[in-house]
Amino acid sequence: MDAGRILDDFRSGAITREQALSLLNKLPYEDIGFAKLDHHRQIRRGGIETVFCAGKTAEQVRAIFERFISTGGNAIGTRATPEQAEYVRAALPDVQYDPVSRLLYIMGNPKPRTGCVAVCTGGTSDQPVAEEAAKTAEFFGANVIRCYDVGIAGIHRLFACLDEIRTANAVVAIAGMEGALGGVIAGLVSVPVIAVPTSVGYGASFAGIAPLLTMLNSCAEGMSVVNIDNGFGAGYLAARINALVTQGNHP
Amino acid sequence: MDAGRILDDFRSGAITREQALSLLNKLPYEDIGFAKLDHHRQIRRGGIETVFCAGKTAEQVRAIFERFISTGGNAIGTRATPEQAEYVRAALPDVQYDPVSRLLYIMGNPKPRTGCVAVCTGGTSDQPVAEEAAKTAEFFGANVIRCYDVGIAGIHRLFACLDEIRTANAVVAIAGMEGALGGVIAGLVSVPVIAVPTSVGYGASFAGIAPLLTMLNSCAEGMSVVNIDNGFGAGYLAARINALVTQGNHP
Amino acid sequence: MDAGRILDDFRSGAITREQALSLLNKLPYEDIGFAKLDHHRQIRRGGIETVFCAGKTAEQVRAIFERFISTGGNAIGTRATPEQAEYVRAALPDVQYDPVSRLLYIMGNPKPRTGCVAVCTGGTSDQPVAEEAAKTAEFFGANVIRCYDVGIAGIHRLFACLDEIRTANAVVAIAGMEGALGGVIAGLVSVPVIAVPTSVGYGASFAGIAPLLTMLNSCAEGMSVVNIDNGFGAGYLAARINALVTQGNHP
Amino acid sequence: MDAGRILDDFRSGAITREQALSLLNKLPYEDIGFAKLDHHRQIRRGGIETVFCAGKTAEQVRAIFERFISTGGNAIGTRATPEQAEYVRAALPDVQYDPVSRLLYIMGNPKPRTGCVAVCTGGTSDQPVAEEAAKTAEFFGANVIRCYDVGIAGIHRLFACLDEIRTANAVVAIAGMEGALGGVIAGLVSVPVIAVPTSVGYGASFAGIAPLLTMLNSCAEGMSVVNIDNGFGAGYLAARINALVTQGNHP
Amino acid sequence: MDAGRILDDFRSGAITREQALSLLNKLPYEDIGFAKLDHHRQIRRGGIETVFCAGKTAEQVRAIFERFISTGGNAIGTRATPEQAEYVRAALPDVQYDPVSRLLYIMGNPKPRTGCVAVCTGGTSDQPVAEEAAKTAEFFGANVIRCYDVGIAGIHRLFACLDEIRTANAVVAIAGMEGALGGVIAGLVSVPVIAVPTSVGYGASFAGIAPLLTMLNSCAEGMSVVNIDNGFGAGYLAARINALVTQGNHP
Amino acid sequence: MDAGRILDDFRSGAITREQALSLLNKLPYEDIGFAKLDHHRQIRRGGIETVFCAGKTAEQVRAIFERFISTGGNAIGTRATPEQAEYVRAALPDVQYDPVSRLLYIMGNPKPRTGCVAVCTGGTSDQPVAEEAAKTAEFFGANVIRCYDVGIAGIHRLFACLDEIRTANAVVAIAGMEGALGGVIAGLVSVPVIAVPTSVGYGASFAGIAPLLTMLNSCAEGMSVVNIDNGFGAGYLAARINALVTQGNHP
Amino acid sequence: MDAGRILDDFRSGAITREQALSLLNKLPYEDIGFAKLDHHRQIRRGGIETVFCAGKTAEQVRAIFERFISTGGNAIGTRATPEQAEYVRAALPDVQYDPVSRLLYIMGNPKPRTGCVAVCTGGTSDQPVAEEAAKTAEFFGANVIRCYDVGIAGIHRLFACLDEIRTANAVVAIAGMEGALGGVIAGLVSVPVIAVPTSVGYGASFAGIAPLLTMLNSCAEGMSVVNIDNGFGAGYLAARINALVTQGNHP
Amino acid sequence: MDAGRILDDFRSGAITREQALSLLNKLPYEDIGFAKLDHHRQIRRGGIETVFCAGKTAEQVRAIFERFISTGGNAIGTRATPEQAEYVRAALPDVQYDPVSRLLYIMGNPKPRTGCVAVCTGGTSDQPVAEEAAKTAEFFGANVIRCYDVGIAGIHRLFACLDEIRTANAVVAIAGMEGALGGVIAGLVSVPVIAVPTSVGYGASFAGIAPLLTMLNSCAEGMSVVNIDNGFGAGYLAARINALVTQGNHP
């Protein structure tokens, strides 16, 4: 029941003024408010729902995908294990799984890609996080330039593809260990840089704390940071910025 | 000396092939490369230079401002103490100082503001960081919607100005203590949210670690984080996104 | 404008169906929802508003108290400095200040106290936090049994007043250093124990981390923990439990 | 031997004054004092004993359950592994095991449930901790409202069941990652909220430190915190508050 | 009233059996048990009471000393400020103050010293902690060998006084920065070594965490550790071991 | 070659003055000094050598035991895995292995036990650490009183065996989680208490950090702390103190 | 294309001035600058490339080695698993694998070794890190003195080989637990000491944090520190210093 | 008395064999061994003694300088306050004080400088640490190239002086905040880089932890790290390497 129906029923006498007020009193939480929220989420995401698979049983993940599919929407699951993927795909063969990024997804209703974002990594070992970022950005409508393994040991490769990176509307910079890549890139481009520390490394990298702190303390302007190994969050945000820019002045 | 001059001198015989190579060998570092970089920085910042005043002597800060002013540029200094400000302004009376945000700035060449960003805080005590973000965003060409003191205790005020916030091209969300404001706003808007943890709080807030971790772990999509109390960084990044969006599709 | 008025105007034809929907659409945030929240807050707190004074200017604190007083409500400010207190009281002489607990308060409309809570400390140095808890509990309508300095060095005093403590509906246990007091009391009473770690101590107490961890890890059942030095939170919660119990079965 | 018997034997001359004093000297520790304590524990828990199974051998767990059962009491074991459960149940088939909450329990003497507590979670992955809390509360005599998966991504479901939650005498709020759920609920209800951080998450959630800090720093009043993943402690405390409230004014 | 009196009154008929039981029921906590404890404390400490002065007002410290003096006992206060000392000594001129160790003490009833303990420091800057340890050990009846500034830079001085150190029944090893002194000494002597990390140092010494961890991880056998800067605790424990050894086989 | 031999050879003319000096110059390191050290170690340990097995290959452990056995000495290995034990015992069947304490040992030359130490634990799960401490103390010549599972939940058992504990010359107090046992015992006995934090617990116990901090911050006098789970170190130190006390006044 | 070729083509008229400038403009990044960098790297490393194998797939590691081998260079991979090694060696049988140090390497073009470095360890368990350091130093052209297991328990062995150690041009000191070895050696030699903390230990060694802090805080001059377990980095740096010293005064 | 004298006295009969042995037995510690050590220290330092002034009284600092001066040696004190300096110089006017580096020094016997080291900083605020490093290196005989303020914001200045830096035998790289400078330089030079993290920064720089971790985790080879703000240690080590290299092949 929505607010319009309440108004109509009230005017028609089907419900009393008291009943109308009681129904309206619940609406803020139940219908009006959060349908509105959901509407916003729907707009932002282009009809794609997300599920964090870690810690869920395979049954729970499948049930969630079934619900999304039944409502016709697209869906993307992060940190899905091969076992979860296998279980889901046995029942829902249209669902795809990428073992590198651990993404589980279905895109029945793909949208055309516009603009582009760049995804850069410091080393080969950062690739799983990078693919999570890149594929996520693609899901949410961006073209993606992949520029991997361009950390200090191979920084000439960063420069080699700098012109291409500069065509992007946002850059995702992924690095473990010392994590300096983010600051280096932020000093070279004029678009927002989203830095992703990774848990790649050992010893005093403390599973990502070291690059996280490096990135938070960077004196290079125009950079912000997401959680350790959070390729999804970075890819989503980059796609969001890309969409805003390609759509031009915000209405 | 630039590359064109070297070519000309080489062709004219004013320098030998060996001399030309030696000069070119130095160019990458000294002239071509980093003039190019500086040119980029210039474009990005609209001719505004930044100086981190903390830990510098008043003499050093004044010398830096004098150099910037002599080259006709604009300048903005962060975390300036009243003593530094007084010393600088004694010699350079056009420099302005805002004791709340601790910004020291001169804007001889103001640019017209376009688009807008929103700056929101959880509590009144976050105001110094918020003003740093807001004034920084204004320096870099954005109109600013200030929406202060809209944390949990006053969240109805957040909703009261939500329509206005939604006109912004980027939102800066500033909060100390539990730091939940960022995630709440990111769930309500469709533009990038830049979260700034503050050192406001006591005990287990650990001078900003608590809200920093809250923000990094938020499951609300579309949010990224900058350093504790880094109002400048957030304001700069928000202005940057705003500029990209108002300029429309990136060339 | 409230929902009833919208219904009436709609039925009377003063507003169209579209206008009614538009107005209702905003209500969730602006009026219905959060008036309801505020109403709840009002019930819970017995008409007392709270303000965290740390990090605010004296002018800001006074402005907040003036607004509360003008609406006839009671108010309590935590962590107020003597300077803030002096400034506020110069304009608002009815406001009281307790320099030990650093509470700044006005209670024009005191409520009768019912039931009781006990506030216990491990040592004399915990007294500021204890008084914050005790006075807060009194503000929110509880009688308070003070049982100070009953840590390991004086645990016989704890036993000496154990019968009295057992008359309380909730116990606040405050301790720094090793912080074992909470667990000891939780093993001796049958009502909820709210443990407050304090920053009293030195070296490896790490400004309260040691007693915080002790309390979180206690194997004594029936205890929970609030932030380091958070006497206010513990006193408020104890008063809340006390009120629930003295009011009997929750409606 | 108890104190009455000593008095009688003393008066009858069966023991000398010196013998009586010697026996009494030991009583404080051995009989009077701690029988009294145990009596209190017995009252509080309704005759249910608890055992922390982690780190114990299956033989040790079985021996403890056998002793409890032989004395006719109820018993509940936390963090029991399937192996421990299988070993115990082979000998004691009346003992039950719930693999989700990892609770191992026997309730030969169930007590009628009164009042109710609500158990809420931020996400599906928090379910094991939630079931530990819920089942524990039920063991200790409370009816339980389960309200799972109501974090930010599904907060409309929280509002949908808010009226039901408000019938509870205590609320357990369970969340990992950013852990904001506790503060949100504490802002909406008037009963005590017991927050449980969980180790669900990755990267900078640091196995529960992030939500722990969020909850400790919440500015929402009426909330306290237990150890990371400590569903048992929260369920026990909620049941305890519920019992106090349903029993009315504490005698 | 003690247990003997209760027995006598009971036999004489001055109190009934019920009254006798009621009185005995309270004894464990109020008289028998903790008088016994206090008796033990008295024996252990040789009639010296201790007070932790930090965080107490000067008035509170003086009141505590007055109570101890009125009961004829000795007393020692740790971490007393010059202001506290001045205030106490104005009223109680027999109380002494040592500004280096910050000890405030009165020893009306000095005991003869027996045996000896050694107090060693790594550097001159550790002297305040060392003097706290040394003077505390003297208060509790030990002769003290001071062996200061014998860290790595001056380890030849350690060897120079090694023969003397080996006459001690316990050694206190005090060091900041890397804190290796404890392990070095523990490898050279056959008596217990009590290691005290100090907050002397900078940077990654983290106010004593570095030497604390060094000492806890030492593979030298026969060493244990007390809190950072806890000269009092180490001096007390060393004096206790010394007393046990000089008294010979424990009765 | 020792110093006496050098003197004799020098006087006899078998070596020149220069040769004598050269030999003496090496003696400090090679023979005099460290033979002296080793002599001390030998006295302290009663001829028992120790080896930390973790991180060593089974071959390395066996080689070390073979060397010790060939020199007729006793040996004790800590943290030995069952695999290491099996491999060593296949070649050296006289070596014994205790899977609970993970000690691997051979005592061809057992010494008579004198005096006694007490080993107490908070819970059943602390048993492996406790057995390491207890068996170590026995190896080094002490009788051991085991007093397990006497933490808060079973503290009446602590009091039940308090008289026996008080016959010990040193007490080892072992506890995980909140770790309050050490402070409780230190308040009840007059001999040194060596506290051992264990990694038993979960969540905010942080693998032993919580009880470690509790113990370091205890205000109970006469207690010191060793590394987390370091049963060996505590057992060795307790045996050392016991030996000193039973030998009476140190020569 | 290099700068000389551009000059020649420009002079010959094969390219215009504009084309020459355009080519030169790209050179800084693509050719001049980083060829120059690579040239330096080549010189420094003696033609040996390094690859961090952890987190890479076996396929990726093999592809990298194939590329290095095809260009005739030497290569060394760190932290290679046996599985990676087996996979690489199946295709490239000249590649060698050392399971202790986990190094995977090929040295088709071995260089003569000059000078020497010493590698010392505190205990047998540090051997894997030590072998990584030692073999790395050998790869990069140094002779290596191995001096293992010379920590506190066996420090006489350190002195026994001190004369040999003193012939080295750099010393690598490797230790876990308390990590004091570095400071001890730095006090005995006059060449640079590179300290490597290891994750050997338990409890409060916190996987290498304890020795890391010990080493950073050492007051012994002439020592610096690398990451926990970073044998490669220490071995490389020692070889570098050794090469500089043996080559004499830097040109 | 030295060993030669003992031999002579023994042969002459001035002392008995027993007396000779007794004297020799003490020599290892008192004379031979540590005179030897001191001799080494003397060689390494070129006759300069060092004193850590923090935490010492002005009287203590002056006494130490007086002792050094009386023995004709040079001396350098670190972290001296202006008050200490003034007090020392009042009595010893030849002692110099540099308020930026806080060094207090006397160099009666200056040595000629050879070779050179480079000292680079990321920002102007790092200057005090840099001057401590630079002046220390000069004291110990190195020429110093100062290359300040060459962090990311001014990295073109780093390249501008790269040729000069490459003439150095060791480089000290000093940076706060993200601390990436060390890794950048290590990628550009072929000599050892000693990285010094500074406490410059705010928020998540955690007083130097962030740059410390960055530097420890750097994947640039040839770099090692000293304590936060430890300019002295870095300057000393750089001078040591410089001296080794300029002296050529180590004898």
Side-chain angles (χ1 to χ4, degrees), chain E residues 45 169 190 221 240 250, chain F residues 45 169 190 221 224 240 250:
Chain E
R45 294 182 172 185
N169 289 312
S190 59
E221 293 151 3
R240 188 89 286 275
H250 193 67
Chain F
R45 296 181 169 186
N169 289 312
S190 59
E221 294 151 3
S224 57
R240 189 88 285 272
H250 193 67

Side-chain angles (χ1 to χ4, degrees), chain H residues 149-171:
Chain H
D149 203 12
V150 296
I152 284 187
I155 202 166
H156 53 292
R157 284 196 292 277
L158 173 63
F159 286 96
C161 61
L162 191 54
D163 282 348
E164 195 183 15
I165 292 175
R166 282 176 173 154
T167 65
N169 289 312
V171 180

Side-chain angles (χ1 to χ4, degrees), chain F residues 42-64:
Chain F
Q42 211 55 10
I43 288 171
R44 284 213 318 271
R45 296 181 169 186
I48 301 179
E49 286 293 331
T50 310
V51 54
F52 177 66
C53 298
K56 293 191 174 62
T57 65
E59 289 77 5
Q60 290 173 327
V61 175
R62 187 164 78 184
I64 294 171

Side-chain angles (χ1 to χ4, degrees), chain D residues 43-90:
Chain D
I43 288 171
R44 284 212 316 272
R45 295 181 170 185
I48 300 179
E49 287 291 332
T50 311
V51 53
F52 177 66
C53 298
K56 292 190 176 61
T57 65
E59 290 78 5
Q60 290 173 326
V61 174
R62 186 164 79 185
I64 294 170
F65 267 83
E66 280 171 343
R67 195 171 68 224
F68 288 162
I69 292 173
S70 71
T71 61
N74 298 328
I76 180 167
T78 60
R79 295 175 181 257
T81 62
E83 293 69 29
Q84 289 173 324
E86 188 176 3
Y87 186 87
V88 170
R89 297 188 66 236

Side-chain angles (χ1 to χ4, degrees), chain E:
Chain E
M1 176 170 286
D2 66 15
R5 175 72 181 278
I6 297 171
L7 286 180
D8 296 340
D9 286 356
F10 169 57
R11 187 153 56 178
S12 72
I15 58 174
T16 64
R17 186 178 182 277
E18 191 163 78
Q19 286 173 319
L21 275 175
S22 167
L23 288 167
L24 287 170
N25 195 31
K26 289 191 171 171
L27 274 180
Y29 299 135
E30 291 167 11
D31 299 291
I32 298 181
F34 289 90
K36 194 171 170 183
L37 287 192
D38 281 350
H39 183 57
H40 267 280
R41 287 167 53 95
Q42 210 58 9
I43 288 171
R44 284 213 315 273
R45 294 182 172 185
I48 301 179
E49 287 292 331
T50 311
V51 53
F52 177 65
C53 298
K56 293 191 176 59
T57 64
E59 290 78 4
Q60 290 173 328
V61 175
R62 186 164 79 184
I64 294 170
F65 267 83
E66 280 170 342
R67 195 171 67 224
F68 286 163
I69 292 173
S70 71
T71 60
N74 298 328
I76 180 167
T78 61
R79 295 174 182 259
T81 61
E83 292 71 29
Q84 289 174 324
E86 187 175 5
Y87 186 87
V88 170
R89 298 188 66 235
L92 305 167
D94 291 345
V95 173
Q96 303 295 316
Y97 181 63
D98 173 49
V100 173
S101 62
R102 291 179 297 166
L103 289 171
L104 190 68
Y105 55 94
I106 182 163
M107 201 134 193
N109 194 16
K111 55 191 309 184
R113 295 188 187 156
T114 62
C116 83
V117 306
V119 176
C120 309
T121 71
T124 305
S125 307
D126 301 316
Q127 194 169 332
V129 178
E131 278 303 303
E132 194 187 58
K135 285 202 166 55
T136 298
E138 289 170 346
F139 282 130
F140 288 96
N143 295 299
V144 172
I145 298 164
R146 282 166 173 83
C147 183
Y148 291 176
D149 203 11
V150 295
I152 282 187
I155 202 166
H156 53 291
R157 285 196 292 277
L158 173 64
F159 285 96
C161 62
L162 192 55
D163 283 347
E164 197 184 14
I165 293 175
R166 282 177 172 153
T167 65
N169 289 312
V171 180
V172 176
I174 300 169
M177 300 181 187
E178 71 180 316
L181 183 68
V184 169
I185 294 181
L188 294 170
V189 303
S190 59
V191 295
V193 174
I194 304 154
V196 190
T198 69
S199 52
V200 170
Y202 62 90
S205 77
F206 298 135
I209 293 180
L212 171 62
L213 294 185
T214 303
M215 289 162 171
L216 285 169
N217 284 286
S218 175
C219 27
E221 293 151 3
M223 182 165 77
S224 56
V225 187
V226 297
N227 195 0
I228 298 163
D229 290 336
N230 188 3
F232 173 78
Y236 177 84
L237 180 54
R240 188 89 286 275
I241 293 172
N242 177 59
L244 282 176
V245 176
T246 52
Q247 291 159 15
N249 204 337
H250 193 67

Side-chain angles (χ1 to χ4, degrees), chain A residues 85-103:
Chain A
E86 187 175 5
Y87 187 87
V88 170
R89 298 187 65 236
L92 306 166
D94 290 345
V95 173
Q96 303 294 318
Y97 181 63
D98 173 48
V100 173
S101 63
R102 292 177 297 165
L103 290 171

Side-chain angles (χ1 to χ4, degrees), chain G residues 223-242:
Chain G
M223 181 165 78
S224 57
V225 187
V226 296
N227 195 1
I228 298 164
D229 291 335
N230 189 4
F232 172 79
Y236 177 84
L237 179 54
R240 189 89 285 274
I241 293 171
N242 177 59

